[in-house]
Amino acid sequence: MSGGVDSAVAAARAKDAGHDVVGVHLALSAKPATMREGARGCCSVEDSRDARRCADVLDIPFYVWDMAERFREDVVEPFVAEYAAGRTPNPCLRCNEKIKFSAVLDRALGLGFDAVVTGHYARLHDGVLRRAADPDKDQSYVLGVLTADQLAHAMFPLGDSLKSVVRAEAARRGLVVAEKPDSHDICFIPSGDTQDFLSSRIDEAPGELVDAASGAVLGRHGGVQNFTVGQRHGLGLSRPAPDGRPRYVLGIEPVSRRVQVGPVESLDVVALSTEAPVWHGPRGSVSDVTVQVRAHGGVAPAAVEVRDDGLSVALGAPLRGVAPGQAVVVYDGDRVLGSATIAATS
């Protein structure tokens, strides 16, 4: 129970279904903020209190589990390391993989529980993960990394509901979080300033900003962690392109510390190579599927070749701003076939 409306209603529905439910709030920071800043951040002291108040209304036991060290090791430190390596990670996906459905699930099973229930908007039918009924809230993308065994011990009671219905239900149940804003941005960066967060943890390593087509040096930068593929603002260039059009980050070379920039059309990619696959679909090649490369948007038709060490994805339509380190999730209709981490694009 995060202290938000979704997990509170998920707990209520699990109890209504006849399950023996225990509410658990995860303490993910050694020094949690006292209060949230509207929709920024989560896991604050305020969130913990809200979760406890909801558990009291639902008349279920409530505990706080300290996962701060595990969260730091498995989510925060890899997030920093990925940016230092010129990649773009998705910490929410890694939190689901490493914390909620690994560390938490392992402890829960060890204590005799059968499943972890969350407020994610996704459907799970006969062990198959599917998109949520509410397309605007669908979170199957950040759950695409889960294994079959993890899905077998998961419950997503909100998958068939619209968010408006969930809020109305929370109000009807007398839950104080009924109108609480959803959390946005990265939970461990409540300020929303990712660059400032990274600069405090990664030593400055200056490099060159270069034109991808000509190789001409256009400027200098303080470190590759300040950039991601597709970025337009904050490049620090003193003069525009000869044609007056804006430049975008096209590629990041962490060893040479060169950041390549160029026109927006150069961001188009038509193929992805990946690593660390989690696959639930048929082996070999699959066609007439769709892939998603961001939590919101970045969807295209594709054909996928499945190998033990990764997926080769041929896109049926180009996608822009796809960066190594992001996840690609493969869908057959609304069914999740699997996922992998993007290693390279072309």
Side-chain angles (χ1 to χ4, degrees):
M1 300 182 71
S2 66
V5 62
D6 295 328
S7 58
V9 173
R13 291 184 177 183
K15 183 181 179 182
D16 288 352
H19 298 290
D20 184 9
V21 179
V22 172
V24 173
H25 180 78
L26 303 182
L28 300 179
S29 173
K31 297 180 180 179
T34 302
M35 300 291 285
R36 300 166 94 241
E37 297 180 21
R40 290 195 181 277
C42 69
C43 312
S44 66
V45 172
E46 177 193 8
D47 291 319
S48 177
R49 291 170 180 164
D50 284 345
R52 185 179 297 276
R53 292 163 72 188
C54 290
D56 288 343
V57 171
L58 298 176
D59 193 25
I60 61 175
F62 178 81
Y63 299 93
V64 176
W65 286 3
D66 184 357
M67 293 281 175
E69 185 64 18
R70 183 72 182 265
F71 185 75
R72 181 184 63 80
E73 292 176 353
D74 288 348
V75 179
V76 179
E77 290 182 352
F79 174 85
V80 174
E82 284 284 87
Y83 266 102
R87 291 158 61 99
T88 303
N90 186 312
C92 295
L93 187 148
R94 296 305 163 206
C95 182
N96 288 325
E97 175 190 24
K98 299 292 187 180
I99 305 300
K100 294 174 184 174
F101 293 96
S102 181
V104 173
L105 179 58
D106 288 348
R107 183 182 293 187
L109 295 177
L111 291 171
F113 293 99
D114 298 312
V116 170
V117 183
T118 73
H120 285 101
Y121 285 80
R123 292 182 289 177
L124 189 57
H125 295 160
D126 298 323
V128 176
L129 182 66
R130 297 182 180 274
R131 289 193 183 276
D134 189 338
D136 293 330
K137 301 303 295 184
D138 175 55
Q139 293 174 295
S140 60
Y141 173 83
V142 295
L143 297 169
V145 72
L146 300 185
T147 67
D149 185 59
Q150 290 170 327
L151 290 172
H153 296 285
M155 292 174 60
F156 308 122
L158 307 188
D160 290 316
S161 297
L162 299 177
K163 181 64 179 244
S164 58
V165 171
V166 171
R167 287 201 181 277
E169 181 178 335
R172 187 171 64 253
R173 291 178 180 273
L175 300 173
V176 296
V177 295
E179 297 301 325
K180 187 173 180 177
D182 293 337
S183 294
H184 297 295
D185 299 319
I186 300 169
C187 71
F188 53 88
I189 310 178
S191 69
D193 192 339
T194 301
Q195 191 171 116
D196 181 67
F197 176 85
L198 293 170
S199 65
S200 68
R201 290 160 175 82
I202 301 174
D203 291 337
E204 185 172 305
E208 297 174 338
L209 285 157
V210 302
D211 181 85
S214 67
V217 177
L218 305 176
R220 303 278 297 175
H221 65 79
V224 297
Q225 73 274 9
N226 297 319
F227 303 93
T228 186
V229 171
Q231 179 177 334
R232 174 184 174 183
H233 300 289
L235 303 186
L237 296 175
S238 59
R239 62 183 187 276
D243 59 6
R245 300 169 63 198
R247 296 184 176 96
Y248 296 78
V249 174
L250 305 182
I252 301 169
E253 302 171 0
V255 176
S256 67
R257 302 197 295 274
R258 289 160 62 95
V259 175
Q260 299 180 5
V261 299
V264 65
E265 60 267 19
S266 295
L267 286 170
D268 288 350
V269 300
V270 295
L272 314 172
S273 60
T274 72
E275 58 195 13
V278 175
W279 190 252
H280 307 289
R283 309 299 294 183
S285 299
V286 291
S287 57
D288 297 325
V289 296
T290 58
V291 298
Q292 185 169 336
V293 297
R294 287 184 288 277
H296 304 287
V299 177
V304 178
E305 181 183 347
V306 183
R307 305 185 312 276
D308 290 340
D309 61 346
L311 311 176
S312 293
V313 180
L315 300 176
L319 290 174
R320 285 184 175 175
V322 184
Q326 292 175 317
V328 56
V329 177
V330 183
Y331 293 84
D332 180 7
D334 68 352
R335 176 190 175 191
V336 174
L337 295 181
S339 71
T341 301
I342 298 170
T345 65
S346 59

